[in-house]
Amino acid sequence: MSPQSWIDLKQDAETGIETIRAHFVGHAYDPHWHDSYLVGYTEQGIQQFHCRRTIHSSTPGKAFTLEPGEIHDGYAIAPDGFTYSMLYLDAQWVERELRALFEEAPAHCQPGFTQTLTENPTLIVAIQRAFSVLQQPELRIVRQTTLDTLLGQLTTQLHWRARQGLDPRLPLVAQRARDYLHDHLDQDVGLDDLAAVSGVDRFRLTRAFKAAFGIAPHAYLVQLRLARARHLLARGATPADVAVALGFADQSHLGRWFLRAYGLTPALYRKRCSNLPDA
């Protein structure tokens, strides 16, 4: 991260929502995903990123919405960089609240976003107000009303898609390998292990996996571990303990990957989310 770049992060204790305001010059972060819904807007500059196999350019006046698991990166294409504000919305919280809004929501479906970028001034205002109310002490009724307004605006970007274990659009061998990684994310998994459960050689498996999920199996495993690391750190676990629990070689190994994906160190993330002293 360049010396001109900075990140301000805070986690709301009641909802678990993370508020992030950041400025990046040059490269911001490597391809990664979150297990949260990401909702935000670019304040200044041009924020360029890859997502859904497309290059997007977010500029002031555009809101961006990403679903859990969507791989994206980030970088500035102008010398003065870009600044953005974003909310990380817990996936279970979002689905529960949206089902309260949609009394006829289909039973075996989950909420998704119809597009990644949209020019929607009303949605941006709702994001701004939610960001503000989560950053300062406020009456619960005000906070809840503000978040309800945000959810209401998100419905303009919403569609319900079938929740299914196997996606017919993706190669079965890649889905088997993905499921194995989820079940063994803390173990020293090899390509031969994935090939064995998938029923193909490791070269065909790697090609199928990249075609299905956009990254190689080893990078997917790292992202799984990083997503889990965020949860553990936010609950107060030390970076050293998290590194051991998730199969990283050591704390420095975790730190290098975490910084590349999220733009801040595990220790700083833990401090911002848990308010605990440095460990």
Side-chain angles (χ1 to χ4, degrees):
M1 189 166 68
S2 72
Q4 297 84 14
S5 302
W6 50 264
I7 297 178
D8 183 20
L9 179 148
K10 183 178 179 181
Q11 187 178 71
D12 178 62
E14 181 179 353
T15 62
I17 296 174
E18 291 181 13
T19 55
I20 292 183
R21 186 168 183 264
H23 177 79
F24 287 105
V25 175
H27 175 78
Y29 33 79
D30 288 354
H32 66 286
W33 81 75
H34 300 269
D35 50 11
S36 305
Y37 288 89
L38 273 56
V39 179
Y41 64 97
T42 301
E43 299 180 20
Q44 166 269 324
I46 303 174
Q47 179 180 7
Q48 197 160 90
F49 60 97
H50 295 80
C51 186
R52 298 188 181 185
R53 304 183 186 278
T54 301
I55 299 177
H56 302 276
S57 295
S58 179
T59 54
K62 292 183 178 180
F64 49 85
T65 51
L66 283 77
E67 300 176 22
E70 288 195 318
I71 298 172
H72 60 285
D73 55 10
Y75 51 94
I77 60 175
D80 55 349
F82 65 88
T83 307
Y84 70 93
S85 291
M86 183 161 60
L87 304 175
Y88 288 33
L89 307 176
D90 177 78
Q92 292 182 342
W93 179 85
V94 168
E95 183 166 351
R96 182 181 69 248
E97 298 299 317
L98 285 176
R99 287 190 179 279
L101 281 173
F102 286 92
E103 295 182 0
E104 303 299 324
H108 301 292
C109 294
Q110 61 190 34
F113 294 127
T114 55
Q115 53 189 334
T116 304
L117 281 179
T118 179
E119 293 188 13
N120 187 332
T122 307
L123 174 58
I124 291 178
V125 170
I127 297 170
Q128 291 172 331
R129 290 176 177 170
F131 192 99
S132 176
V133 81
L134 291 168
Q135 284 280 319
Q136 56 193 357
E138 188 53 270
L139 295 174
R140 288 184 63 213
I141 193 169
V142 174
R143 290 158 56 88
Q144 291 169 351
T145 300
T146 304
L147 291 175
D148 284 351
T149 300
L150 172 63
L151 289 166
Q153 287 300 317
L154 287 177
T155 61
T156 63
Q157 308 295 117
L158 187 69
H159 71 103
W160 292 91
R161 68 172 186 274
R163 191 195 312 275
Q164 51 191 354
L166 295 178
D167 188 335
R169 299 169 299 177
L170 301 178
L172 181 59
V173 294
Q175 296 185 73
R176 287 173 175 167
R178 176 199 60 190
D179 292 345
Y180 187 88
L181 290 175
H182 279 263
D183 292 338
H184 301 82
L185 68 90
D186 60 342
Q187 299 178 21
D188 188 14
V189 178
L191 284 174
D192 51 345
D193 299 316
L194 297 179
V197 299
S198 303
V200 296
D201 64 72
R202 65 180 188 273
F203 301 105
R204 291 180 183 176
L205 169 64
T206 298
R207 290 196 295 270
F209 201 97
K210 286 182 177 178
F213 303 114
I215 55 177
H218 76 276
Y220 192 96
L221 177 59
V222 170
Q223 293 304 315
L224 280 177
R225 292 179 174 182
L226 291 176
R228 181 60 181 159
R230 288 175 68 99
H231 285 283
L232 295 174
L233 292 164
R235 286 156 178 75
T238 66
D241 288 345
V242 171
V244 171
L246 297 181
F248 288 96
D250 52 31
Q251 182 176 339
S252 296
H253 188 211
L254 165 64
R256 289 194 297 272
W257 280 107
F258 202 93
L259 183 63
R260 287 170 60 180
Y262 305 129
L264 71 170
T265 66
L268 182 56
Y269 180 80
R270 174 182 181 269
K271 184 177 181 180
R272 295 285 177 84
C273 290
S274 67
N275 293 319
L276 292 171
D278 294 340

